[in-house]
Amino acid sequence: MNLKSNNRKRLVVWIALVTLFLMALISIMQGGSKYIGKSYLERDGFQGEIGTFIENLSVTILNPIDLEVEKERITVTEAEIEEHRTRYGTLAEQIGSIDEQYAGRIEDAKAGKSEKLKTALIKERDTKIDDIRKNFEDDAHVEKKIRAEKEEILTRFWNERERNLNQQMELPFAYSLKDIETGETFTSGDINAPASYEKNFNAQEGYLKAESDRVSKNDIYQLDGLAYDEETYYFLGNSYTAKVNPTRKFEGTIILPKSALSEGLLGRDIQRFERTKIGMYVLWGLGILSLVALCTVFRFKREWVMNSQFVSSYNRLKMDIKIALLILSLLGVYVLLELIPGRFSWFFFQTSPENCIILVGLFVVLGFFLWTTVFQLVLLVERLKIEGTLEEDIRSSYSMKFSKELQEMFLNRTIGVQMFLLLIGFFLSGLGLFGVMVAPGLLLIYIPLALFVGFPLLYIFVRRTAYLNRIIQATEAMAQGRLHKAIEVEGESPLADHAKNLNNLREGVRISMSEQAKSERLKTELITNVSHDLRTPLTSIITYTDLLKNEELAAEERAKYVDILDKKSQRLKTLIEDLFEVSKMASGNMELNKQRVDLTQLLQQALAEHAEEISNTGLDFRTGLPDTALISYVDGKRWWRVLDNLIVNAVKYTLPGTRVYITLRKVGDDAEFVIKNITKYELGESVNELFERFKRADTARSTDGSGLGLAIAQSIVDMHNGTMKIEMDGDLFKVTVTVLAS
């Protein structure tokens, strides 16, 4: 145990030393030329800043372009005049538009009795109309306005350009420069102060050639902060180029005072540069010491890896997974070695706790990737030493299995080719080429996704497709009548379940076809019945609505028609509400509000509600109710609907002149409600069809029922965990409803 612990510690130290050495090596390769033997003023970046300063000094101070002269060069073409004139339409269209804009506001001013506002609006409107008329009458008027717009654009452009150039002249140079032809002198700062940098311009060393600013097309419409575009550039004149002034030659001196090296922004930059250089020297020194230690005290030993607790787990992995992990490790080392040296330089340039934490974190992650790389390479070498292992690893790899499954995938060529091409196309377009081409940095994300997500999913997909093709072949054999061989069931996948179902299909074909025929018939009846029941009252509503449009209609007839409309509307409302309620129950969205309810009292209330209707039918209702309360834990409102639907059903479909028997009693732990009657329509032999939606005993559908009564009652009873049973004996119709009593 102590030996393993000691090996782990030595391996950690070795990885840390390797990490430090690699960081130093990459750092010196990337930044050695920037820091070794150089001061801040000797670095290439500073020389570039001097060149930028001289260039910007030339175009902004020594030889600037005259804005007023540029304004004089602006041209206005006839096409621009015509475009400006008709930009918003013809003369009539523009005047009409102005009138329309002010008409409402003037009317509001009149309504508010504000004479001053009305007068001001009228004057403003007339002024704009006069200006529009002048646009169509006088080219000079339009040209003047266009020229003013162009001058304003040009002024904004030059001011913005000069501001940007001045911002680039940040170094605190002092200078004294004289034009050798005109003698004009330009000075700034103390030219006699002690200098850390000095550049002279004269006949021997060369004059300072101050060239005029050259404005390109891109400068016009790409200047930061201005929304100039191709159209604006054309508006200034498609061939517009600033008039270039003759080059002026200057003699004199430009210096960088020594005082500037310790003050202001430049002083801070120099301090950061020196601090960064010292830090880089320290890093490189540590890298050299690490290399010495790696070659002497901490020479690598394979036992550090072979005694690891992860060896056995890693060796059980398939060869494909090992290769993927090795690629990921190497990629992580490469990316981090590119990233860390720059972050190390930035750490010395701007020290902060956040940068320190980030740097330490990157160092640890790099060490981890180095450890995984070394770990895998050692185990790979050791395994290759064993004869025959490479061949065995290849045979048992996912790639070989994938190849075999790929062959079986194309047993059915059409499906295999289509699905394979679809998968590859989606994989490449969704996760691959486009993302990497747009942002190469996504390679670090793309490769792990491809190795650990894309390829495993592809393997599973191909394997499943191959199995599916075998199932399809077996199914085709069953369709041809060869039912002697069952489909092979492999594993516990959905396809295996499908194979089991297909094996059972041989015994259930007849039942399935019968149920399908019944389903089609009921669906056709449902559509027919819904259409009929909704169309009938709707047709009446339309008809009597048209009749009511007759203004000569008598009051008595109008009242009669309104009464019919009311009845038909209520009929349509009932149908729609019943339909929605059945749909709601079927979807399981209805909630019950259960409470203790006296079923005896609830049945008495339901019968009392229909007492007048029962009396009008001439039916003889015989009731048998318990003398005491029969309590059940139900939703009173929903259970009342059950009783109401069954009573209404009896009233509508009982043979006139016969009796209806209603009983309520307690049977065991249940409350039992029974209603019996003699039907006036032939019901047929199928009891279950009476529970179907829109099913009526009245096949001619001459009654007002929706056909949903029994379906709704059945759904409510089911929600209460009760039972509802229909029995028929000839024309005798009996419904028995039971629910748990309290």
Side-chain angles (χ1 to χ4, degrees), residues 542-721:
I542 294 173
T543 301
Y544 286 100
T545 300
D546 289 337
L547 292 174
L548 286 172
K549 293 178 181 178
N550 185 2
E551 298 179 355
E552 299 179 0
L553 192 66
E556 181 179 353
E557 289 294 321
R558 187 178 300 276
K560 179 180 177 182
Y561 293 163
V562 169
D563 181 66
I564 294 173
L565 282 174
D566 181 64
K567 291 180 179 179
K568 297 301 180 181
S569 298
Q570 291 299 322
R571 165 66 179 153
L572 189 60
K573 177 184 176 183
T574 300
L575 285 171
I576 294 174
E577 287 178 349
D578 286 351
L579 186 60
F580 272 116
E581 188 161 3
V582 169
S583 175
K584 200 173 183 181
M585 291 178 182
S587 63
N589 292 330
M590 181 175 289
E591 296 182 358
L592 297 178
N593 182 22
K594 291 185 177 182
Q595 54 187 350
R596 290 173 58 82
V597 176
D598 183 358
L599 297 184
T600 303
Q601 183 181 5
L602 193 66
L603 178 57
Q604 290 173 342
Q605 292 175 356
L607 290 170
E609 178 127 355
H610 294 284
E612 183 178 353
E613 187 178 357
I614 292 172
S615 176
N616 293 335
T617 60
L619 298 174
D620 184 9
F621 271 64
R622 303 291 180 90
T623 60
L625 307 180
D627 297 330
T628 59
L630 181 54
I631 305 300
S632 180
Y633 192 69
V634 297
D635 185 328
K637 180 180 178 182
R638 303 297 178 192
W639 200 259
W640 184 92
R641 181 67 185 275
V642 173
L643 301 178
D644 182 74
N645 284 2
L646 293 176
I647 293 172
V648 169
N649 189 71
V651 170
K652 288 181 179 180
Y653 299 112
T654 299
L655 184 68
T658 61
R659 289 179 288 276
V660 178
Y661 295 89
I662 296 177
T663 59
L664 177 65
R665 60 178 181 172
K666 186 173 183 180
V667 179
D669 295 331
D670 295 331
E672 181 185 82
F673 169 78
V674 179
I675 182 168
K676 296 185 291 186
N677 65 291
I678 303 298
T679 64
K680 59 182 177 181
Y681 299 105
E682 229 175 295
L683 296 180
E685 298 178 357
S686 177
V687 176
N688 293 331
E689 286 189 4
L690 293 176
F691 289 105
E692 297 291 341
R693 298 170 190 173
F694 286 91
K695 189 70 179 180
R696 293 199 214 164
D698 174 17
T699 55
R701 309 189 75 79
S702 58
T703 61
D704 290 337
S706 66
L708 295 171
L710 291 179
I712 293 174
Q714 177 72 68
S715 297
I716 295 174
V717 172
D718 290 341
M719 292 170 66
H720 284 83
N721 296 321

Side-chain angles (χ1 to χ4, degrees), residues 194-211:
S196 59
Y197 171 85
E198 180 177 341
K199 186 172 180 62
N200 296 307
F201 300 94
N202 48 50
Q204 291 76 25
E205 300 182 37
Y207 295 112
L208 187 155
K209 296 180 180 180
E211 295 184 352

Side-chain angles (χ1 to χ4, degrees), residues 345-405:
S345 300
W346 181 252
F347 170 75
F348 288 110
F349 184 77
Q350 184 174 354
T351 56
S352 67
E354 293 79 6
N355 283 335
C356 184
I357 293 173
I358 293 174
L359 186 60
V360 172
L362 291 175
F363 184 87
V364 172
V365 174
L366 175 58
F368 171 76
F369 277 107
L370 280 172
W371 175 81
T372 56
T373 302
V374 172
F375 177 84
Q376 294 177 80
L377 289 175
V378 170
L379 292 182
L380 175 61
V381 172
E382 292 298 321
R383 189 158 183 82
L384 291 177
K385 292 179 180 179
I386 304 174
E387 187 177 353
T389 55
L390 180 60
E391 293 78 5
E392 178 59 29
D393 288 345
I394 293 175
R395 282 194 297 270
S396 62
S397 67
Y398 288 122
S399 299
M400 290 303 297
K401 292 182 179 179
F402 174 80
S403 178
K404 294 178 182 178
E405 298 291 351

Side-chain angles (χ1 to χ4, degrees), residues 314-518:
Y314 179 81
N315 285 332
R316 286 195 296 269
L317 296 176
K318 299 292 185 182
M319 187 179 70
D320 318 72
I321 303 300
K322 294 178 181 179
I323 294 175
L325 290 173
L326 182 58
I327 292 174
L328 180 61
S329 298
L330 291 172
L331 181 62
V333 171
Y334 170 77
V335 172
L336 289 169
L337 284 177
E338 288 288 326
L339 177 64
I340 289 180
R343 175 60 65 175
F344 205 94
S345 300
W346 181 252
F347 170 75
F348 288 110
F349 184 77
Q350 184 174 354
T351 56
S352 67
E354 293 79 6
N355 283 335
C356 184
I357 293 173
I358 293 174
L359 186 60
V360 172
L362 291 175
F363 184 87
V364 172
V365 174
L366 175 58
F368 171 76
F369 277 107
L370 280 172
W371 175 81
T372 56
T373 302
V374 172
F375 177 84
Q376 294 177 80
L377 289 175
V378 170
L379 292 182
L380 175 61
V381 172
E382 292 298 321
R383 189 158 183 82
L384 291 177
K385 292 179 180 179
I386 304 174
E387 187 177 353
T389 55
L390 180 60
E391 293 78 5
E392 178 59 29
D393 288 345
I394 293 175
R395 282 194 297 270
S396 62
S397 67
Y398 288 122
S399 299
M400 290 303 297
K401 292 182 179 179
F402 174 80
S403 178
K404 294 178 182 178
E405 298 291 351
L406 187 62
Q407 294 176 6
E408 294 186 351
M409 176 181 176
F410 290 94
L411 291 175
N412 185 312
R413 292 183 178 273
T414 302
I415 294 179
V417 171
Q418 291 178 356
M419 297 302 293
F420 185 79
L421 292 179
L422 178 65
L423 179 64
I424 294 299
F426 172 77
F427 182 76
L428 292 179
S429 61
L431 299 175
L433 298 180
F434 180 78
V436 174
M437 290 171 61
V438 173
L442 294 177
L443 192 65
L444 183 61
I445 300 176
Y446 170 73
I447 290 182
L449 284 176
L451 294 176
F452 297 104
V453 178
F455 287 127
L457 289 178
L458 180 62
Y459 169 76
I460 295 172
F461 176 79
V462 170
R463 184 176 180 181
R464 293 289 186 270
T465 306
Y467 186 34
L468 176 61
N469 276 320
R470 294 196 294 272
I471 292 176
I472 291 175
Q473 285 187 334
T475 305
E476 290 175 353
M478 291 173 57
Q480 295 172 5
R482 300 195 299 270
L483 306 177
H484 58 279
K485 185 177 180 181
I487 300 174
E488 183 181 359
V489 178
E490 296 181 2
E492 299 294 333
S493 67
L495 287 178
D497 294 337
H498 181 59
K500 295 176 184 177
N501 294 334
L502 287 175
N503 288 331
N504 295 331
L505 184 63
R506 293 175 298 172
E507 303 298 328
V509 171
R510 184 185 60 81
I511 298 175
S512 175
M513 294 179 63
S514 175
E515 291 295 328
Q516 182 179 2
K518 178 181 177 182

